[in-house]
């Protein structure tokens, strides 16, 4: 199922059912059900709409003794005058870049590089216990901006259905989902998600009460842990903002086409959304009531792009730069942003790599979820005798270091296509969903769709030969003044002060 069709199904569900009627002990739970349905974009509906366990379980997330001691020490610092201005929810999987030889989170760390001397910004990460490194996995690389890492444990026990309670309004939702998706949504599945969500809220309430941050930033809100954090912020009156981390487009069911959003938003969603540019903002607000109180949706630009284009940048170590320059010397580098698809390197792309001129160098960069597979992917191409493929450096070097050296960009539908335009590169896109997601950019010629080997070779050759591209109205904005102004408003001490909605462009 593609993004557009599934988004349209969500709209139809909001018309067939009353989202406000879906409640569990007073909590509006339509966003939880909507998330389960949206996750069907990643596989079969049964995988996401059925409870995988045999029975419901109660869930508690509790800090380990080490985690509790770490939090207590951080709370003492805050009380001693080192107030936390902004707590930035993070995770190990976001540290996909390098800066000065250290691991770097391109969604969070640029804020510390640009504004860390003015505000105290603390990356927050929760990890489940002390996990020993898996066999063959390299040790975690030191980070440029170490954050607050709290260990927790999960406690589960079987829970009778009567104890879990019932979701009001579910009797209308279930047949509507069955009719549209061909798969029944399991009441127990959504109830289990709600139970897990409540456990996350309880743990994050403990963290927030200890640290008392002025604001909380979330990189990606649409999973249960982040929703629990957003709910805890709402309960405590702490502004919570989602920082855009990738493309959203016209059809993304967790950002667009909320047709019956309450005037104050949902408790489990952030009350602010920080977007890269006006197109993203317009896509999100198109179906929201203009007189709503939340969420506030504003255009702030990209801190990562700002760091590179208006700040000091964040190059890798000199040794890595030398290796990268030596590998690209005398070649036409083509950056390929792979994605967590069932077939990341489809046959048409594989054959294009095989048949391409020897002067082309294919830089294959895996999606952050799959970066651990870089070694096996490199070995596979090496066994096949490919000399025009580079995997190791493409996954070790910062994305923008690769873009500054590339002549063209190829992807299924990654938002790197938008970032590539900031470096003058057009993109070849090969996944069918791009015809809906990127219709305007395909029409403008910034992106070219290619679903065959020959079409792909022709598009890449055109991209290598053409002059640098430039958008009339960039999808991603940058600029330190804009970022600073937005942060000032988010961090304003006046209780309840929110960013105003900008006027439509």
């Amino acid at each position: 199922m593609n993004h557009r069709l599934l988004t349209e199904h969500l709209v139809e569900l909001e018309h067939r059912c009353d989202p406000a009627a879906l409640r569990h002990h007073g909590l509006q739970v339509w966003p939880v059900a909507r998330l389960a349905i949206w996750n069907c974009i990643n596989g079969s509906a049964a995988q996401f709409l059925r409870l995988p366990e045999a029975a419901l379980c109660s869930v508690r997330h509790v800090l380990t003794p080490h985690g509790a001691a770490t939090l207590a020490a951080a709370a003492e610092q805050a009380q001693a005058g080192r107030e936390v201005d902004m707590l930035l929810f993070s995770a190990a999987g976001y540290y996909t870049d390098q800066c000065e030889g250290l691991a770097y989170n391109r969604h969070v760390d640029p804020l510390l590089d640009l504004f860390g001397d003015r505000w105290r910004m603390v990356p927050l990460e929760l990890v489940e216990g002390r996990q020993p490194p898996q066999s063959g996995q390299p040790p975690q690389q030191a980070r440029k901006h170490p954050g607050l890492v709290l260990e927790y444990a999960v406690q589960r026990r079987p829970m009778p259905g009567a104890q879990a309670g019932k979701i009001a309004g579910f009797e209308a939702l279930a047949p509507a989902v069955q009719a549209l998706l061909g798969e029944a949504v399991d009441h127990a599945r959504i109830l289990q998600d709600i139970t897990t969500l409540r456990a996350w809220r309880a743990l994050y309430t403990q963290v927030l009460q200890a640290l008392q941050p002025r604001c909380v930033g979330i990189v990606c809100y649409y999973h249960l842990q982040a929703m629990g954090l957003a709910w805890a912020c709402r309960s405590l009156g702490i502004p919570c903002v989602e920082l855009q981390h990738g493309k959203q487009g016209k059809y993304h069911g967790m950002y667009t086409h909320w047709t019956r959003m309450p005037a104050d938003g949902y408790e489990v969603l952030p009350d602010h959304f920080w977007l890269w540019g006006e197109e993203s903002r317009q896509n999100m607000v198109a179906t929201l009531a203009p007189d709503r109180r939340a969420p506030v949706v504003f255009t702030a630009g990209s801190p990562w792009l700002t760091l590179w284009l208006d700040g000091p940048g964040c190059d890798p170590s000199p040794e890595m730069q030398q290796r990268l320059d030596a590998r690209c010397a005398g070649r036409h580098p083509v950056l390929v942003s792979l994605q967590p698809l069932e077939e990341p390197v489809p046959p048409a792309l594989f054959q294009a790599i095989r048949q391409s001129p020897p002067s082309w160098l294919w830089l294959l960069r895996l999606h952050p979820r799959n970066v651990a597979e870089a070694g096996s992917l490199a070995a596979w191409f090496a066994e096949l005798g490919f000399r025009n493929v580079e995997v190791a450096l493409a996954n070790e070097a910062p994305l923008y270091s690769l873009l500054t050296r590339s002549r063209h960009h190829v992807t299924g539908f990654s938002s790197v296509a938008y970032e590539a335009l900031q470096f003058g590169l057009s993109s070849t896109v090969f996944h069918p969903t791009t015809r809906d997601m990127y219709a305007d950019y395909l029409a403008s010629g910034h992106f070219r769709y290619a679903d065959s080997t020959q079409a792909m070779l022709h598009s890449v050759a055109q991209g290598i030969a053409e002059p640098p591209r430039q958008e009339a109205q960039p999808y991603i904005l940058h600029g330190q003044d804009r970022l600073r102004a937005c942060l000032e408003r988010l961090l304003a001490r006046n209780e309840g002060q929110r960013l105003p909605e900008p006027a439509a462009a």
Side-chain angles (χ1 to χ4, degrees), residues 6 34-44 48 189 222:
L6 188 51
R34 185 170 176 133
L35 173 61
I37 296 166
W38 180 251
N39 280 335
C40 295
I41 199 75
N42 298 312
S44 66
F48 300 100
R189 166 58 199 266
Y222 58 97

Side-chain angles (χ1 to χ4, degrees), residues 153-439:
V154 183
Q155 300 175 351
R156 294 184 177 89
R157 62 177 178 81
M159 178 173 59
Q163 181 181 336
K166 296 290 184 181
I167 302 172
F170 192 84
E171 65 280 358
L173 176 67
V177 173
Q178 173 77 56
L180 290 171
L181 273 69
E183 182 69 44
V185 58
D186 190 350
H187 180 271
R189 166 58 199 266
I190 306 303
L191 201 56
Q192 185 66 72
D193 285 351
I194 295 169
T195 301
T196 303
L197 175 66
R198 289 185 184 278
W200 282 121
R201 180 214 184 187
L203 179 56
Y204 277 113
T205 297
Q206 178 184 352
V207 173
L208 294 175
Q209 287 176 330
L211 299 177
Q212 295 291 314
R214 295 165 63 190
C215 179
V216 170
I218 294 176
V219 173
C220 175
Y221 91 88
Y222 58 97
H223 56 97
L224 295 177
Q225 182 177 170
M227 284 181 164
L229 174 55
W231 188 11
C233 288
R234 176 72 70 97
S235 300
L236 297 172
I238 299 171
C240 179
V241 57
E242 203 232 31
L243 309 172
Q244 185 170 354
H245 67 287
K247 71 177 179 311
Q248 293 171 190
K250 293 180 179 178
Y251 300 100
H252 192 303
M254 297 311 293
Y255 292 105
T256 70
H257 295 80
W258 291 86
T259 60
R260 302 181 72 177
M261 181 84 75
D264 288 313
Y266 287 105
E267 302 99 316
V268 300
L269 266 61
D271 49 21
H272 293 74
F273 282 83
W274 169 312
L275 300 182
W276 287 344
E278 180 61 17
E279 182 175 328
S280 295
R281 193 189 74 85
Q282 291 285 359
N283 289 336
M284 188 168 184
V285 304
T287 58
L288 299 180
D291 59 346
R292 70 191 181 281
R293 291 177 289 274
V296 176
V297 184
F298 61 95
T299 298
S302 164
W304 183 223
L305 190 64
T306 297
L307 182 71
W308 277 79
L309 300 184
D310 306 303
C314 199
D315 281 319
S317 65
E319 183 270 339
M320 178 178 285
Q321 291 189 66
Q322 292 172 5
R323 290 168 55 205
L324 191 58
D325 289 337
R327 189 71 171 97
C328 295
R331 312 292 287 273
H332 297 310
V334 179
L335 176 63
V336 183
S337 300
L338 299 174
Q339 291 172 280
L341 302 172
E342 185 176 349
E343 198 171 32
V345 183
L349 175 59
F350 176 82
Q351 290 299 327
I353 296 172
R354 181 189 289 277
Q355 298 176 28
S356 63
S359 60
W360 295 8
L361 176 66
W362 298 81
L363 304 171
L364 302 186
R365 185 177 178 87
L366 288 155
H367 189 275
R369 295 183 201 167
N370 307 113
V371 70
E373 302 168 13
S376 58
L377 183 65
W380 181 58
F381 276 104
E383 289 173 5
L384 295 173
F386 284 68
R387 298 181 179 275
N388 61 341
V389 171
E390 175 58 50
V391 178
L393 283 172
N395 289 279
E396 294 173 12
L399 173 64
Y400 289 176
S401 291
L402 299 173
L403 286 173
T404 57
R405 292 166 172 84
S406 296
R407 298 292 302 276
H408 188 60
H409 176 245
V410 176
T411 188
F413 51 85
S414 172
S415 60
V416 176
Y418 289 126
E419 295 173 280
L421 278 168
Q422 296 289 334
F423 294 84
L425 306 180
S426 62
S427 289
T428 297
V429 294
F430 56 78
H431 196 279
T433 194
T434 57
R435 287 177 289 192
D436 287 328
M437 295 172 65
Y438 296 143

Side-chain angles (χ1 to χ4, degrees), residues 58 64 85 95 98 120 146 223 338 370-371 382 466 488:
S58 67
T64 65
D85 292 304
Y95 288 84
Q98 288 192 33
R120 186 177 179 222
H223 56 97
L338 299 174
N370 307 113
V371 70
E466 69 187 0
E488 286 173 348

